[in-house]
Amino acid sequence: MKQQTISQQLLKFGLKVIGPLFYVALVVFLFIYVQRLDWSVLSGIQISWLYVSVAIIIALVARYWGAFIWIVLLKNLGANNLGQQLLPLLYVYAKSWLGRYIPGTAPWILGKIYFASKLGVSKNKLAVSSLLEGGLQILVTLVIAIVILLFDSRVSKVINTQLEIIMVVTLLVGVITVLPPVFNRLFALVFKLIKRKAFPAQHYATTKTIAQGTGLYVIGSLIGGLSFFFIAKAVYAPLQYTDLLFVLGLSNLANAASMLAIFAPSGIGVREGIQVVLLSLIMPVEFALLIAVITRIWSIVVDFLFFGIAAGFKQAKQ
């Protein structure tokens, strides 16, 4: 018992320090990295506000598309009276979405479960939908990224064969994980470990639910990648539309990695690192770094716009 307690304490300590250590290393790396850049290439830069506006609109569509997927998953899982609660549910999703800026995925998930349950939605349905939503979102973004980037010769400059193998293995594990029998058993196991009781079989996800969610997330990932492309083009005008597919791939890879990095609030640092490395393959690294920084600010603005619009619609209905 004493050894188990010590192990648990070490685990908790490790989880606490990994975040700060990551950011210390990131600051040191950025300081050294930035010192080596030739900032003169950015002289005379002009941001295209037209492209910025297009990117914001597309990003807002992507946010609402994500909320739509969540509601579809809940409906397929058998949640009732969702149509009558549409605007409040959109508000719940937008409010919980801001929880991504708290380290870990729990605040985002728990926020949706807590606030939506106040509207009468089953907590069991919300728990399954949230886990399914997170799993499918990560899986789909990884699939899109891997399929696009593995067949692009430029990626071999920064990703070696070993990393490519890891990406493929990760992809296969992810695909197996969301197969209905596997997903439901894993969820039931986690539920039993946490709640110390069996999870009701009537709340299991069906093949239709998982297949439909996957298809919807494919569309959502492409919409999100498109918004990133226009932000990049707003900063770096020479970016060609022939590079659109490549940018979609790197954007999805960065987003998937940021979701997996639960120690970093909203994947800060992780997402930007991947963006800089891959963008530098198609533009000067100085522009790649600038785009990564601007994208983070732009993303925060879009998130609060998303919340503000959802709150406004909810308030107007009342």
Side-chain angles (χ1 to χ4, degrees):
M1 178 66 72
K2 187 176 181 181
Q3 289 182 343
Q4 185 179 11
T5 303
I6 293 175
S7 299
Q8 290 175 344
Q9 290 176 346
L10 288 173
L11 178 60
K12 289 180 180 179
F13 176 76
L15 292 174
K16 286 182 179 179
V17 301
I18 189 173
L21 285 177
F22 168 79
Y23 283 111
V24 169
L26 179 63
V27 169
V28 173
F29 167 77
L30 282 177
F31 177 78
I32 297 173
Y33 187 69
V34 168
Q35 294 297 313
R36 299 176 179 177
L37 298 181
D38 179 13
W39 294 106
S40 63
V41 302
L42 297 178
S43 60
I45 184 175
Q46 291 185 336
I47 301 235
S48 171
W49 294 106
L50 173 61
Y51 283 134
V52 171
S53 301
V54 171
I56 289 176
I57 293 172
I58 296 175
L60 284 173
V61 171
R63 301 290 192 279
Y64 275 99
W65 186 258
F68 168 72
I69 296 173
W70 177 53
I71 294 172
V72 168
L73 291 176
L74 281 172
K75 183 178 179 181
N76 286 345
L77 289 169
N80 299 319
N81 303 320
L82 298 180
Q84 301 172 1
Q85 301 281 3
L86 182 59
L87 289 180
L89 284 173
L90 288 175
Y91 175 70
V92 164
Y93 188 91
K95 179 165 57 174
S96 302
W97 182 261
L98 296 179
R100 298 182 314 129
Y101 292 98
I102 302 173
T105 56
W108 176 39
I109 294 174
L110 294 178
K112 286 187 295 182
I113 294 175
Y114 175 78
F115 293 118
S117 65
K118 296 295 183 182
L119 299 175
V121 183
S122 165
K123 286 186 177 180
N124 285 331
K125 305 293 186 187
L126 287 165
V128 176
S129 69
S130 295
L131 184 60
L132 183 59
E133 181 186 8
L136 287 178
Q137 193 171 2
I138 293 172
L139 172 65
V140 168
T141 52
L142 270 178
V143 169
I144 291 175
I146 292 172
V147 169
I148 292 174
L149 298 178
L150 281 182
F151 294 98
D152 195 303
S153 59
R154 291 171 291 190
V155 178
S156 61
K157 297 178 182 178
V158 292
I159 298 180
N160 56 32
T161 304
Q162 288 77 13
L163 284 176
E164 289 180 348
I165 293 173
I166 292 174
M167 290 171 68
V168 172
V169 171
T170 302
L171 171 63
L172 293 176
V173 171
V175 170
I176 292 172
T177 301
V178 296
L179 293 175
V182 179
F183 174 84
N184 287 325
R185 288 190 180 185
L186 286 175
F187 186 87
L189 177 61
V190 172
F191 186 86
K192 190 172 183 179
L193 290 173
I194 296 175
K195 295 290 187 179
R196 304 294 182 183
K197 60 181 180 180
F199 186 76
Q202 65 265 29
H203 298 305
Y204 281 174
T206 65
T207 301
K208 175 188 174 183
T209 300
I210 294 177
Q212 190 173 23
T214 299
L216 292 173
Y217 270 120
V218 168
I219 298 173
S221 296
L222 294 177
I223 296 173
L226 186 62
S227 67
F228 177 77
F229 173 83
F230 280 109
I231 272 292
K233 189 160 180 60
V235 178
Y236 184 65
L239 181 62
Q240 300 296 313
Y241 284 98
T242 52
D243 288 319
L244 173 59
L245 196 61
F246 178 79
V247 174
L248 290 179
L250 76 87
S251 172
N252 278 280
L253 181 62
N255 287 337
S258 70
M259 287 185 281
L260 289 170
I262 59 174
F263 58 87
S266 191
I268 294 176
V270 177
R271 188 173 73 182
E272 287 77 12
I274 293 175
Q275 289 172 349
V276 171
V277 169
L278 294 178
L279 279 175
S280 62
L281 296 176
I282 57 176
M283 65 180 65
V285 66
E286 291 80 7
F287 278 96
L289 184 57
L290 181 61
I291 288 170
V293 173
I294 290 177
T295 300
R296 173 59 66 178
I297 298 171
W298 161 78
S299 179
I300 294 172
V301 170
V302 171
D303 287 342
F304 278 93
L305 273 176
F306 176 43
F307 172 73
I309 293 171
F313 277 124
K314 180 177 176 291
Q315 189 66 29
K317 187 177 180 182
Q318 293 177 346

